[in-house]
Amino acid sequence: MYKKALKWINASPPRTLLLGFSFIIFLGAVLLRLPLSTVDREPLSFVDALFTATSATCVTGLVLFDTGSHFSTFGHWVILMLIQIGGIGFMTMATLFALILRRRISLKERLILQESLNQGSIEGLVRLVRKVILYALALETVGALLFSARFAIDMPLGQAIYHGVFHSISIFNNAGFDLSGDFSSFSSYSTDLFMNVVSMVLIILGGFGFIVLADLFDLRHKRKFSLHTKVVLTVSGALILIGTLIIFIFEFTNTKSIGGDNFGHKLLVALFQSVTTRSGGVTTVDISEFRQATQFFIIILMFIGASPGSTGGGIKTTTFAVLVGAVLAMIRGKEDVVLFRLRLAQERVYKAVTVTLFCIGIVMLGTMILATTEDASFLKILFEATSAFGTVGLSMGLTGDLTTAGKLTIIFLMFIGRLGPLTLTYALGPKAGRPLYRHAEGKIIIG
């Protein structure tokens, strides 16, 4: 029995990833259950500890308790370590320790890394891991210094450094956990240009993905971007701009959100929400006070999410770009999907459609279950389900009122959202064999 289980785990990299993430979440839940993890020394229930550990490891940010006031310093560090491991990937961390110990990275480990980092081949993976670690630590360090300098104005230096480090790691990894207290997130800094800019830069860089970051830092040597980087930068920029405009217009006269503020403040809040809805998780206003049209638009942004190989979730910007490209190609009567004068293989288009339909199905299933178990409006439930699946962490206030069944559903959605629906399918499904024949071609009317 043991040998069969070991053979099943070792059969494919997706299964190793599945088990690896599961183990880290379970270990995190055990540590968060310790009385040492909470301020009042009262241990969490296992489901609550599992929920928090999953939210941290899957860099989501949905919380049942206020992180700043409920958890002790030990609890904060457990959450922070889970965020760091979940953000850059447990296989990346394992490879880092192997490199420190000067141990050779095996072919199997490279294949798992390839799956973890969503790469097309194993070539240059170890170099990429070094870059991932370097860029992550460098950006988190800069973010910590900037945050600490700002927090030092409002609190003692030691506490400011503590808050600076925590928020830098949390925000760069698009986790959304904060120590502000009373579930207020960054609402006290809604008009603070410095805090808004630093947070947005960290969210955007974390959401670009490490492949794009490597391209950006290596631009002076390469002199040009890859197609992947061009698509990510273009789609991300377009979504941020469109999101800002729509949120700004829809909420311009809403006195419950930004209607009573001056023009500059309205624009800053709209920009921040457009950035954070794509997987950031921190917020400067109460989203439950937004108009329903704005809330539904935020759901769309959360579903699209960040970019491949990043700390964010969703169907990813590149998937969205391929879908838009396919629609435009069909409208123009073209056979090929072309982005930046380069044709995409049909297999990429099929994969984009498959990922999108899988994700829609998972969000629909989670929403239906939550609509059965929770007493809340449909929009609030759909918002919570999409936020969990997109590993965003924004909430309209439903998280704290979830039933046990609701918590387990959200745990499932966060886990699938971080791991990826296709990775889970490959992990649990049988190994595909080589087809022995092809069926005759048939015709069907579409539209």
Side-chain angles (χ1 to χ4, degrees), residues 155-426:
M155 58 187 72
L157 182 60
Q159 187 180 3
I161 294 173
Y162 181 70
H163 278 238
V165 171
F166 187 96
H167 288 105
S168 179
I169 294 174
S170 176
I171 292 175
F172 173 74
N173 286 287
N174 283 206
F177 283 81
D178 66 88
L179 304 178
S180 302
D182 198 28
F183 297 99
S184 61
S185 194
F186 274 15
S187 58
S188 58
Y189 297 102
S190 62
T191 59
D192 191 313
L193 183 61
F194 181 84
M195 287 291 287
N196 276 260
V197 170
V198 173
S199 299
M200 285 189 290
V201 169
L202 287 175
I203 292 170
I204 291 170
L205 291 177
F208 275 166
F210 295 109
I211 304 114
V212 175
L213 289 180
D215 250 13
L216 289 172
F217 283 107
D218 292 343
L219 180 60
R220 59 181 179 178
H221 302 299
K222 293 183 177 179
R223 300 289 182 182
K224 64 177 183 178
F225 289 136
S226 65
L227 175 62
H228 173 82
T229 299
K230 289 178 183 177
V231 171
V232 167
L233 294 178
T234 303
V235 175
S236 297
L239 289 174
I240 290 171
L241 179 61
I242 294 169
T244 302
L245 289 174
I246 291 181
I247 294 172
F248 180 79
I249 293 169
F250 283 6
E251 296 301 311
F252 192 86
T253 58
N254 184 5
T255 55
K256 293 182 179 179
S257 58
I258 63 174
D261 301 325
N262 60 52
F263 184 88
H265 183 201
K266 289 177 181 178
L267 192 60
L268 182 62
V269 170
L271 176 61
F272 190 91
Q273 304 320 305
S274 178
V275 170
T276 196
T277 50
R278 300 256 320 290
S279 207
V282 290
T283 181
T284 56
V285 290
D286 186 358
I287 290 178
S288 64
E289 299 293 348
F290 279 178
R291 290 192 169 107
Q292 289 188 356
T294 313
Q295 292 168 345
F296 186 74
F297 177 70
I298 288 174
I299 289 173
I300 296 172
L301 290 180
M302 292 192 298
F303 184 74
I304 295 172
S307 301
S310 72
T311 57
I315 63 170
K316 304 296 190 293
T317 53
T318 49
T319 304
F320 179 70
V322 173
L323 292 177
V324 172
V327 171
L328 292 177
M330 180 63 68
I331 291 172
R332 293 168 180 169
K334 306 288 185 182
E335 280 191 21
D336 296 328
V337 177
V338 179
L339 299 175
F340 292 97
R341 299 183 180 180
L342 290 172
R343 175 177 56 85
L344 297 182
Q346 209 167 33
E347 173 262 335
R348 295 289 172 183
V349 181
Y350 287 153
K351 187 172 183 179
V353 173
T354 304
V355 166
T356 304
L357 291 177
F358 260 57
C359 294
I360 290 173
I362 291 167
V363 171
M364 286 175 60
L365 176 62
T367 302
M368 287 190 292
I369 295 173
L370 289 173
T372 305
T373 62
E374 310 306 313
D375 183 19
S377 67
F378 179 77
L379 187 62
K380 185 179 285 190
I381 288 171
L382 178 62
F383 192 101
E384 194 85 5
T386 310
S387 178
F389 175 77
T391 68
V392 180
L394 297 177
S395 177
M396 289 169 58
L398 179 60
T399 311
D401 299 325
L402 289 170
T403 61
T404 299
K407 292 174 185 176
L408 292 174
T409 303
I410 294 296
I411 287 171
F412 170 77
L413 288 171
M414 291 189 291
F415 186 76
I416 299 299
R418 183 66 184 109
L419 194 64
L422 289 185
T423 301
L424 183 72
T425 304
Y426 295 151

Side-chain angles (χ1 to χ4, degrees), residues 34-54:
L34 298 174
L36 184 63
S37 294
T38 57
V39 173
D40 58 9
R41 295 296 188 264
E42 288 292 326
L44 302 177
S45 69
F46 181 75
V47 173
D48 289 349
L50 184 66
F51 187 101
T52 306
T54 305

